[in-house]
Amino acid sequence: MATNSSMRIGSWLLFFLAISITDAFYIPGWSIKSYKDNEAIPLLVNKVYSDNTQLQYAYYDLPFVCPPTGVRHAGSSLLSGQSISLNLGEVLRGDRITQSDIELVMGKDQECNFLCSKTVTRRDLKRAKELVKDGYVVEWIVDNLPGATSFVTVDKSKKYYAAGFKLGYKDFSQTGKARYFINNHLTIVLRYRKAPGKDGEKGGKVIVGFEVYTKSVGADKRVESGCPADLNDVNTPFELYLAPNHTDSSSALAYPLSSYHPPEREIDLDDGATMEIPYTYSVYFREDEKVEWRNRWDLYFVNQEEGSRIHWLAIVNSLIISGLLSGIVAMILARTVRGDIKAYTKDVSGEDGKLKSKRRSRPGSGARSPKTGEKTGLGLLDQVDTENDADVSSDDEQLEDITGWKLLHGDVFRPPPYGHLLAPLIGSGMQLVFMAFGLLSLSSLGILNPSFRGGFISVGIGLFIFAGVFSGYFSARVYKTFGGLNWRKNTLITAILFPGLLFSLVFILNLFVWAQASSTALPFGTLIALIFLWLCIQLPLVYAGSYYGYTRSGAWESPTKTAIIPRQVPIQPWYIRSISSILLAGLIPFAVIFIELLFVFQSLWQDKSGYYYVFGFLSLITLLLMITIAEVTIVTIYIKLCAEDYNWWWHSFLVGGGSAVWVMAYCVWFYMRRLHIEGFVSGILFFSYCGVVAVTYGLATGTVGFLTSFWFVRRVYGAIKAD
């Protein structure tokens, strides 16, 4: 049995290792869009975002950019400023994709095009300065590729992209005063190559790169069309500054060429003063035969290759920890537990034999003498008849030495307190485990990839809704095992508890984000859609799973009978007590994931212009994490039972999810040491998101720990004979 289990675990490890080596190749799509010469290419604008804040804003909601004209341009069926249809994941991640007024024509270079001259007030300038100060980045889209800023590696051997381009930049004057400049001229470079197949033979071309180069150009030295006279010779950038009405005239007259700007006063913001910001752009097409269309996203991942060694270090670290724990668990199962079971079974059988032999040896007990030809002394009972009183006394003393987990056979399966709450938590945990397994599998196989914008969130919600069947099934079986009778009530709690708390938190956070006019705020229609998915689809699925689990499958049978009177639990050592053992045991699974967790956090919070796409490594780390949690929980529960404490139900769940406490502590450390998030709302969003991640992680890992411990306890106590 142990050999077969080891072979299965080894097969899974080899499978995920093979996936991790591929670094999660991706399937770019099923339809390749090709363009012919002089064919219009639509450019879509999305949003602005920053690594220093959690608030995103729709591009056309900014008061200082060119507003859409509402004109239909060639190559698009939408009017300028009209939104395209978005999937649920795109809406939840804050995307607001709309058609722009920028005209792109395949193969046609445009040295300079005037877009608009935007009139802005002091308040608009103040808003622009705030966004530039926070390092906001703009996301535009062409042919499903995000506009990127191009970089080269330190050794200048490779080129890579960072999605988005800067809205502006910050500089300092000679006096140390901060000055803000806006990038009002954009150079768009579209890289293309011949389309594969028949489209290429007909002159079709595909886009393999979308680069944006920014420049801040002052309002002076412009030609009649509004474009700069010479883009290659720009001496004065466009500064976001409008002189206040109330200034110190003496200093202004004394130093007319000074870069010092008097501070703005709140009273000046509504004085009616305005300024014009001219916006222009250039377009260049460059043929690039080095990049295949199916590999065009690789440039967004090149910079991540430098971390491959660290990923392998994380895997080696996890393998060492998991291997050591596997040895400990194997020793417990193969030597300690098996030896205890053999000794206990022998002692109990010996005691039964002695009692029966004593009854046979009594006068008038009805014991008969063996007939001629019958064999004697072969059975345990006959051996007892020939033993002397000293042997009986010795065996009785051996029975008295039985201690530890063997004494708990009448209490170990006693239903826990608040079992009606534990069962729904186990159900929700299985729901999350199924969702995580599906997401990692689809991402590792490349089905979920960056070209499927919003796909990870959309598919995750779909898997979570569908997994309501598993949630109801496991919750109902655990509930019936605890002796529950009202399975419909348990079904309702399972379907509402975790999803309801999650939706309530999202609704409250949405109020904060809505007050900031951020695109991250969910529209009312999206909230209604989420409620519909929850109550009209997930709840019936949970009910169906609960009905089958409670009425058809039934409870898991206990191998021993539960005594009427519970045993008294002795005083426990400090390391077995709930809080201590949960924190200590949680450190080991956290040690397995903390290196990979750093990469995930950097992608989510610190470097939003990049993409986390090493799901092969993440899948392998997750598998090792599940194995580690199972082993840690088995060891912890075995120690607890040896200390004659039979309250293991809740303890196994909490120990399995104990590393969630360290994950949350890691979030606090990451916020304090690595991030530069500013603002009250951004801080609330960060810790709320981290709290959801920690709770979700704790539910999933706690469920793994509970089910593993349940299997272990049933297996151990099912191997002994107890009255």
Side-chain angles (χ1 to χ4, degrees):
M1 181 66 69
T3 303
N4 294 335
S5 300
S6 301
M7 292 179 63
R8 286 196 295 268
I9 293 175
S11 301
W12 279 105
L13 285 174
L14 289 175
F15 171 73
F16 282 105
L17 184 62
I19 292 178
S20 65
I21 292 175
T22 62
D23 282 347
F25 64 90
Y26 91 99
I27 302 172
W30 293 271
S31 60
I32 301 177
K33 176 64 177 176
S34 61
Y35 302 90
K36 295 183 179 180
D37 288 337
N38 298 321
E39 183 178 353
I41 304 173
L43 187 147
L44 307 175
V45 298
N46 188 5
K47 61 186 178 183
V48 295
Y49 57 90
S50 171
D51 295 337
N52 300 320
T53 178
Q54 301 304 314
L55 298 175
Q56 306 174 12
Y57 301 96
Y59 180 77
Y60 276 144
D61 287 345
L62 303 180
F64 51 87
V65 302
C66 291
T69 59
V71 177
R72 178 178 283 107
H73 296 276
S76 175
S77 60
L78 301 176
L79 300 177
S80 170
Q82 189 173 356
S83 299
I84 68 172
S85 58
L86 303 175
N87 59 47
L88 182 59
E90 289 176 312
V91 176
L92 292 177
R93 68 195 293 264
D95 288 346
R96 301 295 183 266
I97 304 176
T98 55
Q99 177 65 40
S100 73
D101 285 308
I102 296 179
E103 297 180 347
L104 306 176
V105 180
M106 173 57 76
K108 183 179 179 181
D109 292 346
Q110 305 172 44
E111 185 175 352
C112 182
N113 277 355
F114 180 76
L115 189 59
C116 81
S117 182
K118 175 64 176 176
T119 303
V120 294
T121 63
R122 292 188 188 276
R123 288 194 179 274
D124 298 337
L125 282 181
K126 182 180 179 181
R127 180 62 173 157
K129 290 179 182 179
E130 292 173 351
L131 296 182
V132 171
K133 179 182 178 181
D134 289 335
Y136 271 83
V137 173
V138 183
E139 181 179 309
W140 287 0
I141 302 170
V142 170
D143 194 39
N144 205 31
L145 281 177
T149 303
S150 178
F151 297 94
V152 293
T153 55
V154 177
D155 57 359
K156 298 183 180 180
S157 61
K158 292 183 180 180
K159 174 183 177 181
Y160 67 93
Y161 288 161
F165 57 91
K166 287 189 175 183
L167 187 64
Y169 64 93
K170 178 181 178 181
D171 199 359
F172 294 91
S173 64
Q174 296 178 354
T175 60
K177 180 72 174 180
R179 304 172 65 187
Y180 301 94
F181 303 88
I182 192 167
N183 293 321
N184 59 338
H185 180 83
L186 303 177
T187 300
I188 299 172
V189 178
L190 292 176
R191 301 191 178 275
Y192 68 93
R193 63 169 295 145
K194 180 180 177 181
K198 295 182 179 180
D199 288 343
E201 297 175 358
K202 297 179 181 179
K205 300 174 182 177
V206 292
I207 296 175
V208 296
F210 175 25
E211 302 171 4
V212 180
Y213 299 89
T214 60
K215 183 175 290 188
S216 180
V217 183
D220 56 343
K221 297 182 180 180
R222 291 181 176 266
V223 297
E224 185 177 353
S225 63
C227 289
D230 187 0
L231 285 171
N232 297 321
D233 185 19
V234 177
N235 297 322
T236 306
F238 194 97
E239 184 177 3
L240 296 171
Y241 176 74
L242 189 60
N245 289 332
H246 304 282
T247 61
D248 187 352
S249 58
S250 60
S251 61
L253 293 175
Y255 305 99
L257 300 179
S258 174
S259 60
Y260 170 74
H261 298 320
E264 294 181 351
R265 301 191 305 176
E266 192 68 25
I267 194 174
D268 292 335
L269 293 178
D270 298 317
D271 62 356
T274 61
M275 70 179 301
E276 301 288 330
I277 303 179
Y279 286 92
T280 55
Y281 67 94
S282 303
V283 181
Y284 297 97
F285 287 84
R286 295 293 180 264
E287 188 173 6
D288 191 345
E289 295 291 340
K290 297 180 181 179
V291 181
E292 296 284 347
W293 187 88
R294 64 176 180 272
N295 299 325
R296 62 179 187 166
W297 279 88
D298 290 355
L299 289 173
Y300 294 88
F301 310 136
V302 168
N303 195 37
Q304 297 182 7
E305 294 180 359
E306 299 178 359
S308 296
R309 294 182 180 179
I310 303 179
H311 287 293
W312 284 112
L313 176 63
I315 292 175
V316 172
N317 169 71
S318 303
L319 284 173
I320 293 174
I321 296 175
S322 181
L324 291 175
L325 284 174
S326 298
I328 296 174
V329 172
M331 182 182 66
I332 291 175
L333 293 177
R335 299 186 62 182
T336 308
V337 176
R338 184 176 297 180
D340 289 347
I341 290 174
K342 287 183 178 180
Y344 184 85
T345 305
K346 180 179 178 181
D347 293 337
V348 173
S349 300
E351 174 68 10
D352 293 340
K354 293 177 182 62
L355 293 176
K356 293 179 181 179
S357 63
K358 288 180 179 179
R359 287 195 296 266
R360 289 183 178 183
S361 61
R362 291 176 184 172
S365 62
R368 64 177 179 86
S369 301
K371 296 180 180 179
T372 305
E374 285 185 348
K375 295 182 179 180
T376 60
L378 296 179
L380 179 61
L381 300 180
D382 296 322
Q383 293 176 9
V384 173
D385 288 337
T386 61
E387 291 176 351
N388 53 31
D389 294 339
D391 293 333
V392 174
S393 177
S394 175
D395 289 336
D396 290 339
E397 292 176 358
Q398 190 175 5
L399 280 174
E400 293 176 358
D401 291 337
I402 298 176
T403 58
W405 65 270
K406 300 177 288 296
L407 295 176
L408 303 180
H409 59 81
D411 297 273
V412 72
F413 293 105
R414 188 178 303 280
Y418 305 104
H420 61 279
L421 178 61
L422 180 58
L425 293 178
I426 298 301
S428 297
M430 281 304 302
Q431 191 174 7
L432 294 171
V433 168
F434 178 84
M435 181 191 72
F437 177 79
L439 287 176
L440 288 176
S441 300
L442 295 175
S443 299
S444 299
L445 295 175
I447 298 175
L448 296 179
N449 55 78
S451 66
F452 184 9
R453 187 174 286 102
F456 193 87
I457 299 177
S458 298
V459 174
I461 292 176
L463 290 173
F464 182 81
I465 296 297
F466 173 75
V469 175
F470 301 97
S471 174
Y473 175 81
F474 280 91
S475 176
R477 293 202 67 180
V478 173
Y479 179 73
K480 193 168 186 178
T481 302
F482 292 160
L485 301 176
N486 193 349
W487 67 273
R488 289 183 176 86
K489 178 181 178 181
N490 176 73
T491 300
L492 191 62
I493 295 176
T494 304
I496 291 179
L497 181 61
F498 176 72
L501 293 176
L502 184 61
F503 181 82
S504 300
L505 178 62
V506 169
F507 181 79
I508 294 173
L509 293 178
N510 198 59
L511 297 178
F512 285 95
V513 178
W514 174 78
Q516 299 293 321
S518 171
S519 64
T520 314
L522 301 181
F524 180 75
T526 303
L527 294 175
I528 297 299
L530 291 175
I531 294 176
F532 175 81
L533 291 174
W534 172 26
L535 298 180
C536 298
I537 298 180
Q538 191 221 10
L539 197 150
L541 290 175
V542 174
Y543 185 90
S546 296
Y547 173 80
Y548 187 85
Y550 191 89
T551 60
R552 299 295 181 88
S553 299
W556 281 292
E557 295 183 0
S558 302
T560 61
K561 295 181 180 179
T562 302
I564 299 176
I565 302 176
R567 288 178 58 88
Q568 184 176 0
V569 179
I571 299 176
Q572 301 295 304
W574 68 270
Y575 55 86
I576 300 180
R577 295 170 189 169
S578 296
I579 297 179
S580 301
S581 60
I582 290 170
L583 294 178
L584 291 175
L587 268 176
I588 301 176
F590 178 73
V592 172
I593 64 170
F594 83 97
I595 297 179
E596 195 66 29
L597 196 63
L598 177 62
F599 287 93
V600 176
F601 274 38
Q602 284 179 343
S603 178
L604 289 176
W605 310 115
Q606 197 173 16
D607 186 14
K608 298 176 184 176
S609 297
Y611 296 94
Y612 181 86
Y613 209 61
V614 283
F615 286 100
F617 286 110
L618 185 61
S619 300
L620 182 56
I621 293 294
T622 303
L623 176 63
L624 294 174
L625 172 66
M626 295 296 106
I627 296 174
T628 303
I629 288 174
E631 294 169 343
V632 167
T633 311
I634 287 176
V635 173
T636 305
I637 296 304
Y638 176 73
I639 295 174
K640 190 176 185 67
L641 294 178
C642 287
E644 301 182 18
D645 186 357
Y646 54 85
N647 299 309
W648 64 272
W649 299 96
W650 275 103
H651 194 73
S652 63
F653 178 78
L654 295 176
V655 167
S659 53
V661 178
W662 298 105
V663 171
M664 192 63 199
Y666 188 80
C667 292
V668 176
W669 174 86
F670 195 82
Y671 179 85
M672 300 293 293
R673 294 291 184 179
R674 303 297 294 269
L675 293 183
H676 305 285
I677 293 180
E678 299 178 356
F680 175 73
V681 175
S682 294
I684 288 180
L685 291 177
F686 174 81
F687 284 108
S688 298
Y689 293 154
C690 288
V692 170
V693 170
V695 171
T696 301
Y697 169 86
L699 278 176
T701 54
T703 299
V704 172
F706 173 86
L707 295 178
T708 305
S709 299
F710 194 20
W711 168 85
F712 171 74
V713 174
R714 292 180 73 241
R715 188 69 178 268
V716 168
Y717 283 92
I720 66 174
K721 297 178 181 179
D723 293 334

